Amino acid sequence: MKMKICVLPGDGIGVEIMAQAEKILGRITEVFGHEIEIDYGLIGGAAIDEKGSPLPTDTIEICRNRDAILLGAVGGPKWDEIDKSIRPEKGLLGIRKEFDLFANLRPAILFPELKDASLLRPDIVDKGIDLLVIRELTSGIYFGEPRGEEIRNGQRVAFNTMIYSEDEIRRVAKVAFEAARKRAYRVCSVDKANVLDVSQLWREVVIDTAKVYPDVQLNHLYVDNAAMQLVRDPSQFDVILTSNLFGDILSDEAAVITGSLGMLPSASMGQKKPDLYEPIHGSAPDIAGRDLANPLATILSVAMMFKYTFSLDKEARAVEEAVQKVLAQNFRTGDIMSPGMIRVGCNEMGELVVREIG
Ligand code: IPM
Ligand code: MG
């Protein structure tokens, strides 16, 4: 198969983790006989520095005719004081919106090898964690209008709008029900319907969408309760369906209970290509450029790309199994380190995974 990919390393550790992802791509195409065409683009702070915008138009054009985009991370203290309208994060939000990538899939799986790295009590982790957060990604409070800051009664006020249309809710709910059919047939929709009008509509539309999926069990939790249940007993969840803001928060929580933010991949998709793959963690400026980052979330994002964009299940499994083998051999980056394990850097972790493929 011929694959057309655009790599956007971004800022901070984005550059080093993406270098490892590229090694994996190279190895898989070699072993399985595929052809790959890689282009590169600027995004985030790196793009601000070079082009004056976090999402330059030529980056969008490079991505447009690709099958998939692989993105590292954006942001860092260097751009914290910058004009709000061109913050590095605008690059990420912009690319999601540009390609209408409304469904964000964030699987949180506990590798048995990493049980000791989890923050949860052993009796809780022993029940296992294997859940999939499906986060709406192109609407809600992240994009709602009106938004802004103004003077009212002599003082500054700022506001955002949490808004969803029926269609926006329905299309992401469908993705969740379809995903549940490939898993354990359970969807938990998370909202704040006891307080928010937008959540009441969310719940009504999800219930209505569920009618054509009678084989999938649906329940609802308020977001505060869901956050609590995630640490109390994560094994109760299969697919969690939620809005943009709640999904942002819950997916970090789901990630860290599995051991580290550095382990979790994500896929963002719309109705058509390109799809976008990125680790769920940020640019970690504190450790950037020091070969300390964990590249596994990005490497596992490459596995998701094989599976979802190219339907190459064997290739996806080869990557996932290679990661598992390296963990079973006790190699760990700093973030997942525990006593008795062998500490390696970002680059060596990438090499180790490559060695286990094929
Ligand atoms: C994420 C990140 C982004 C988000 C930031 C960097 C804009 O936290 O992908 O979860 O809030 O969506
Ligand atoms: Mg986040």
Side-chain angles (χ1 to χ4, degrees), residues 22-57:
E22 280 192 57
K23 285 184 200 163
I24 305 294
L25 281 173
R27 181 69 186 144
I28 288 283
T29 44
E30 187 183 306
V31 171
F32 291 85
H34 300 298
E35 215 181 304
I36 193 160
E37 190 185 295
I38 302 183
D39 270 290
Y40 298 87
L42 290 166
I43 194 164
I48 296 171
D49 288 351
E50 214 159 296
K51 305 262 179 173
S53 151
L55 185 61
T57 43

Side-chain angles (χ1 to χ4, degrees), residues 5-11 13-15 17-18 21 25 43-44 55 63 67-75 88-108 132-133 135-138 142-143 244 247-248 251-252 255 260-270 274-284 294-306 308-309:
I5 292 167
C6 183
V7 167
L8 309 176
D11 309 316
I13 58 169
V15 180
I17 54 177
M18 204 48 82
L25 281 173
I43 194 164
L55 185 61
C63 292
D67 301 309
I69 303 164
L70 276 177
L71 193 146
V74 298
E89 288 77 6
K90 292 261 172 188
L92 184 55
L93 300 179
I95 201 159
R96 289 170 178 170
K97 193 74 176 168
E98 176 67 35
F99 296 112
D100 200 18
L101 305 168
F102 63 85
N104 181 214
L105 278 53
R106 299 187 161 190
L132 173 64
V133 177
R135 166 188 178 196
E136 198 292 325
L137 203 61
T138 51
Y142 271 56
F143 295 94
N244 206 341
D248 178 45
S251 61
D252 265 28
S260 168
L261 278 182
M263 292 298 300
L264 292 210
S266 87
S268 307
M269 353 218 195
D275 305 319
L276 181 144
Y277 296 85
E278 53 175 325
I280 85 149
H281 61 69
S283 59
N294 183 348
L296 294 179
T298 312
I299 290 174
L300 291 167
S301 299
V302 172
M304 283 189 93
M305 178 188 80
F306 286 133
Y308 290 105
T309 298

Side-chain angles (χ1 to χ4, degrees), residues 223-284:
V223 63
D224 49 349
N225 188 16
M228 188 267 283
Q229 296 296 340
L230 260 177
V231 288
R232 202 187 64 83
D233 178 16
S235 73
Q236 70 185 281
F237 294 106
D238 180 26
V239 173
I240 294 178
L241 163 66
T242 193
S243 59
N244 206 341
L245 179 63
F246 298 160
D248 178 45
I249 299 166
L250 293 180
S251 61
D252 265 28
E253 190 188 357
V256 82
I257 59 174
T258 68
S260 168
L261 278 182
M263 292 298 300
L264 292 210
S266 87
S268 307
M269 353 218 195
Q271 239 85 301
K272 52 183 201 283
K273 288 177 178 179
D275 305 319
L276 181 144
Y277 296 85
E278 53 175 325
I280 85 149
H281 61 69
S283 59

Side-chain angles (χ1 to χ4, degrees), residues 123-344:
D123 60 309
I124 298 176
V125 217
D126 277 344
K127 292 205 246 166
I129 305 173
D130 180 359
L131 59 90
L132 173 64
V133 177
I134 298 196
R135 166 188 178 196
E136 198 292 325
L137 203 61
T138 51
S139 183
I141 198 167
Y142 271 56
F143 295 94
E145 299 282 347
R147 63 184 297 164
E149 192 184 297
E150 62 191 38
I151 305 288
R152 288 186 198 167
N153 301 323
Q155 63 169 330
R156 289 187 304 154
V157 296
F159 49 91
N160 292 86
T161 303
M162 193 185 266
I163 180 167
Y164 273 108
S165 70
E166 288 178 80
D167 287 353
E168 287 169 336
I169 301 167
R170 198 177 303 278
R171 65 181 186 172
V172 72
K174 279 188 190 157
V175 174
F177 288 110
E178 297 288 345
R181 280 186 166 165
K182 296 191 180 133
R183 298 174 47 98
Y185 292 83
R186 285 186 288 122
V187 170
C188 173
S189 172
V190 174
D191 60 38
K192 191 70 186 172
N194 51 346
V195 178
L196 304 175
D197 298 278
V198 59
S199 282
Q200 282 147 19
L201 179 69
W202 177 278
R203 193 174 281 216
E204 278 170 33
V205 175
V206 171
I207 289 172
D208 191 53
T209 310
K211 286 184 186 145
V212 292
Y213 299 92
D215 49 333
V216 179
Q217 187 195 320
L218 170 68
N219 75 318
H220 307 270
L221 287 182
Y222 299 137
V223 63
D224 49 349
N225 188 16
M228 188 267 283
Q229 296 296 340
L230 260 177
V231 288
R232 202 187 64 83
D233 178 16
S235 73
Q236 70 185 281
F237 294 106
D238 180 26
V239 173
I240 294 178
L241 163 66
T242 193
S243 59
N244 206 341
L245 179 63
F246 298 160
D248 178 45
I249 299 166
L250 293 180
S251 61
D252 265 28
E253 190 188 357
V256 82
I257 59 174
T258 68
S260 168
L261 278 182
M263 292 298 300
L264 292 210
S266 87
S268 307
M269 353 218 195
Q271 239 85 301
K272 52 183 201 283
K273 288 177 178 179
D275 305 319
L276 181 144
Y277 296 85
E278 53 175 325
I280 85 149
H281 61 69
S283 59
D286 51 324
I287 58 163
R290 293 162 55 198
D291 196 32
L292 291 173
N294 183 348
L296 294 179
T298 312
I299 290 174
L300 291 167
S301 299
V302 172
M304 283 189 93
M305 178 188 80
F306 286 133
K307 182 163 159 191
Y308 290 105
T309 298
F310 300 107
S311 301
L312 295 172
D313 286 358
K314 259 197 307 189
E315 287 77 347
R317 257 200 322 276
V319 177
E320 285 162 4
E321 282 167 12
V323 168
Q324 187 131 24
K325 279 188 201 148
V326 171
L327 293 174
Q329 291 155 13
N330 295 341
F331 293 109
R332 303 283 189 273
T333 43
D335 58 316
I336 48 174
M337 190 63 194
S338 55
M341 300 292 119
I342 309 157
R343 187 188 285 262
V344 296

